[in-house]
Amino acid sequence: SLPVGAYLFGLTCGTNREPKTAGHARENAIQSKIVALRRVPASAWSILLGAFSAIYLLFIVLQGGYLFSALFGVLPDGFTASHYARQGFFELCWIMALNFVLLFIVSISGERGLRRGKAPKIMGTILLGESILFAVTAASKLLLYIQRFGFTPLRLQSAWLISVLLMGCVATLWALWTGRDTVRSWALFAGISLALLHLY
């Protein structure tokens, strides 16, 4: 840990020695490259986001019994509590990774971005709403597992990650409709909650 800590300390303290103009120049260069990427029509991204949302909605309708049974304290047929919670957790991780990558690509390559285009903003909101629903169902599956077999460090860590992903969706929604930067607040929530988790 000492070499890694020394390296991170050097990076942190070294930023104070760099001229501010260099940082601004890099920022402007990155912004100009992002602007150059904005060539995909808003309608194309709206259709793609709508297609993803429709697939999720179809999955929710067809698999409603599997998704929502934990909310009523019932295990689906053929599942143990551990398998049900584990599968729900990893499904959530894959869905969240896919959705956030998709939203990031839309925000940097759409000709109007994600916030300025009305249709992409609405489609992005629906996608995030479905992501929140998946996070709630994953949390209910994990809670059912914990109620039956108790806490373990791994289960608490899984609960923490689900809460962080859920708050990531909420923060993204807030940023999408208000235009505010919510990354700092989300990072603080993740860091403070992780620190409190380690105290336990």
Side-chain angles (χ1 to χ4, degrees), residues 67-112:
L67 283 174
F68 302 116
S69 62
L71 293 171
F72 304 100
V74 179
L75 277 174
D77 293 335
F79 283 91
T80 63
S82 60
H83 182 211
Y84 190 40
R86 192 179 302 112
Q87 183 167 312
F89 175 78
F90 286 110
E91 284 174 354
L92 175 68
C93 291
W94 282 110
I95 288 171
M96 289 290 191
L98 177 63
N99 289 352
F100 278 114
V101 167
L102 181 61
L103 290 172
F104 175 74
I105 293 173
V106 173
S107 67
I108 65 170
S109 65
E111 61 182 1
R112 300 180 65 188

Side-chain angles (χ1 to χ4, degrees), residues 45-63:
W45 279 130
S46 299
I47 292 170
L48 183 62
L49 290 173
F52 269 86
S53 299
I55 291 170
Y56 288 142
L57 183 60
L58 183 63
F59 176 76
I60 290 168
V61 171
L62 294 178
Q63 298 292 326

Side-chain angles (χ1 to χ4, degrees), residues 61-195:
V61 171
L62 294 178
Q63 298 292 326
Y66 161 76
L67 283 174
F68 302 116
S69 62
L71 293 171
F72 304 100
V74 179
L75 277 174
D77 293 335
F79 283 91
T80 63
S82 60
H83 182 211
Y84 190 40
R86 192 179 302 112
Q87 183 167 312
F89 175 78
F90 286 110
E91 284 174 354
L92 175 68
C93 291
W94 282 110
I95 288 171
M96 289 290 191
L98 177 63
N99 289 352
F100 278 114
V101 167
L102 181 61
L103 290 172
F104 175 74
I105 293 173
V106 173
S107 67
I108 65 170
S109 65
E111 61 182 1
R112 300 180 65 188
L114 191 59
R115 295 177 181 175
R116 292 191 297 272
K118 185 176 181 180
K121 183 187 287 189
I122 292 172
M123 291 296 103
T125 301
I126 294 172
L127 193 69
L128 287 167
E130 291 170 338
S131 300
I132 290 172
L133 180 61
F134 284 124
V136 170
T137 58
S140 66
K141 294 171 188 176
L142 182 61
L143 182 60
L144 179 65
Y145 185 28
I146 291 172
Q147 285 175 342
R148 295 194 174 198
F149 297 102
F151 288 104
T152 65
L154 186 58
R155 291 168 201 164
L156 285 175
Q157 290 167 8
S158 300
W160 170 80
L161 184 56
I162 291 173
S163 68
V164 168
L165 291 173
L166 176 62
M167 290 306 296
C169 292
V170 173
T172 305
L173 271 175
W174 184 258
L176 188 61
W177 286 97
T178 63
R180 296 180 181 177
D181 186 7
T182 56
V183 174
R184 184 173 180 272
S185 301
W186 174 77
L188 283 173
F189 169 80
I192 292 172
S193 58
L194 182 61

